Amino acid sequence: MQEQAETIQTKTETAAPLVISVKNLSVTYIGRDGEQTEAVRDVSFDVSDKPGCGEIIVFLGPSGCGKSTILKAVAGLIQPTKGECFVDGKLIKDVGRDRGMVFQTYTSFAWLTVRKNVEYGLKLQGIEKEKRRGLSGKILEEVGLAEFAERYPKDLSGGMKQRVAIARTLINNPRVVLMDEPFGALDPQTRWGMQSLLLDISKRENNTIIFVTHDVSEAVYLADTCYVLSKRPAHILERVDVPTFPVKDITLKSSAEFRTVENQLLNMLYNKSGKD
Ligand SMILES: Nc1ncnc2c1ncn2[C@@H]1O[C@H](COP(=O)(O)OP(=O)(O)O)[C@@H](O)[C@H]1O
Ligand SMILES: [Mg+2]
């Protein structure tokens, strides 16, 4: 049984290969005193590969429902109590370079410049300086930080610090980027700018982003596909394919079509996640 679970079929004649496959994921934490907290119950989803095109999958759920726990299981930071997670058909047993994670709190090294923070992962891999410079230059340009390459994190705003975190993850070119409420600590205007930046990045990069939030508007703005989660223990209430809006800019959020999808998701969250 265990051996069968090591790999899954990622390509069939009818289905596209799967980048991510999560099967019946359940997580129950056991505290030091033996107290059990069931965080995730039987969550299953597949993300198929769309070659040459980035995709954003959003998990929307109330605070404390188990969103971070789902991400941590895919990251390989925690082991499922039941079920399995696969990336490109490989069973996740540990963290790996095919997955990068961006957290809500800033995670840069205070003693390194922006450029050195961004190059850190490449340095660990033993990639030589010239190549590191080339790659960091490109990615810093992409996140709008080229002018700030020699600054230290303490001299940056919250939004800029999160750009560093995003750049540091993207430079490793992970197959899957896991983002845990990365804009949650930012003021609304910076947050909107960061959401637009993420959409731009996703268009250019060919990776899959799993983005977790409790903010309905953020979910509608970013998601290609949105999974609405129940309150704890998190399970999937609905999968929503968010319509492709012709133009995504600041006016979209106040448009009737955007509001309609927002209301649809709000109803799902509050009608169902409050019940059982
Ligand atoms: N290491 C842990 N030990 C015990 N309980 C935990 C641990 N991590 C999270 N929890 C609990 O699991 C539930 C889900 O947490 P989490 O996945 O962080 O939710 P979310 O990200 O949706 O806010 C919460 O009740 C939280 O207190
Ligand atoms: Mg969380």
Side-chain angles (χ1 to χ4, degrees):
M1 191 63 194
Q2 184 61 30
E3 273 168 25
Q4 273 178 355
E6 292 285 308
T7 54
I8 56 163
Q9 195 177 4
T10 57
K11 198 168 186 177
T12 65
E13 278 179 347
T14 49
L18 298 180
V19 185
I20 303 172
S21 181
V22 169
K23 300 212 172 294
N24 309 106
L25 174 70
S26 296
V27 179
T28 297
Y29 292 106
I30 300 173
R32 288 219 182 108
D33 51 3
E35 195 192 336
Q36 300 202 352
T37 307
E38 187 185 10
V40 178
R41 183 185 290 177
D42 202 26
V43 164
S44 298
F45 63 95
D46 288 334
V47 182
S48 21
D49 191 16
K50 291 187 181 162
C53 153
E55 201 180 3
I56 305 182
I57 317 291
V58 173
F59 281 82
L60 171 69
S63 292
C65 78
K67 301 182 295 298
S68 297
T69 303
I70 296 172
L71 275 197
K72 284 179 191 160
V74 178
L77 290 167
I78 56 168
Q79 291 304 313
T81 309
K82 281 193 201 136
E84 293 109 13
C85 306
F86 301 86
V87 167
D88 283 328
K90 279 201 338 250
L91 180 68
I92 303 300
K93 293 176 177 169
D94 204 348
V95 290
R97 238 185 267 144
D98 55 349
R99 285 149 289 142
M101 191 140 173
V102 180
F103 298 91
Q104 180 177 343
T105 44
Y106 314 127
T107 49
S108 30
F109 300 122
W111 60 93
L112 295 178
T113 62
V114 166
R115 186 195 300 285
K116 286 188 175 160
N117 263 292
V118 171
E119 290 178 2
Y120 188 78
L122 301 182
K123 196 171 178 191
L124 284 186
Q125 289 174 52
I127 292 171
E128 60 173 37
K129 191 172 172 180
E130 208 173 311
K131 190 163 180 206
R132 290 205 309 263
R133 279 296 129 94
L135 290 169
S136 65
K138 180 177 162 284
I139 211 88
L140 284 168
E141 193 73 49
E142 195 167 2
V143 299
L145 283 181
E147 291 166 52
F148 301 91
E150 304 314 321
R151 301 269 185 99
Y152 286 86
K154 69 173 173 48
D155 301 325
L156 304 179
S157 67
M160 288 156 95
K161 284 179 189 164
Q162 276 312 61
R163 286 169 199 249
V164 175
I166 292 170
R168 223 174 57 181
T169 302
L170 290 179
I171 202 166
N172 299 318
N173 200 20
R175 186 87 160 112
V176 176
V177 181
L178 303 164
M179 306 187 90
D180 193 356
E181 310 213 36
F183 310 143
L186 304 176
D187 63 83
Q189 202 173 340
T190 307
R191 187 170 183 151
W192 180 79
M194 293 296 289
Q195 291 165 358
S196 297
L197 175 79
L198 188 66
L199 286 174
D200 286 346
I201 291 172
S202 165
K203 269 188 226 140
R204 282 194 294 267
E205 304 271 330
N206 178 24
N207 46 31
T208 300
I209 297 173
I210 306 274
F211 190 104
V212 152
T213 186
H214 64 262
D215 183 303
V216 177
S217 157
E218 182 165 73
V220 179
Y221 194 61
L222 292 178
D224 294 301
T225 302
C226 179
Y227 288 96
V228 182
L229 298 172
S230 68
K231 65 178 187 181
R232 190 179 70 80
H235 52 273
I236 295 172
L237 294 172
E238 301 272 356
R239 177 201 147 124
V240 179
D241 291 316
V242 178
T244 314
F245 301 105
V247 181
K248 279 191 171 174
D249 62 17
I250 198 152
T251 59
L252 176 67
K253 289 191 180 183
S254 50
S255 72
E257 50 181 347
F258 191 88
R259 289 267 160 86
T260 304
V261 186
E262 257 184 347
N263 285 335
Q264 193 190 344
L265 296 186
L266 273 169
N267 280 334
M268 287 172 188
L269 271 177
Y270 291 108
N271 288 343
K272 295 191 186 167
S273 61
K275 263 186 191 171
D276 45 51

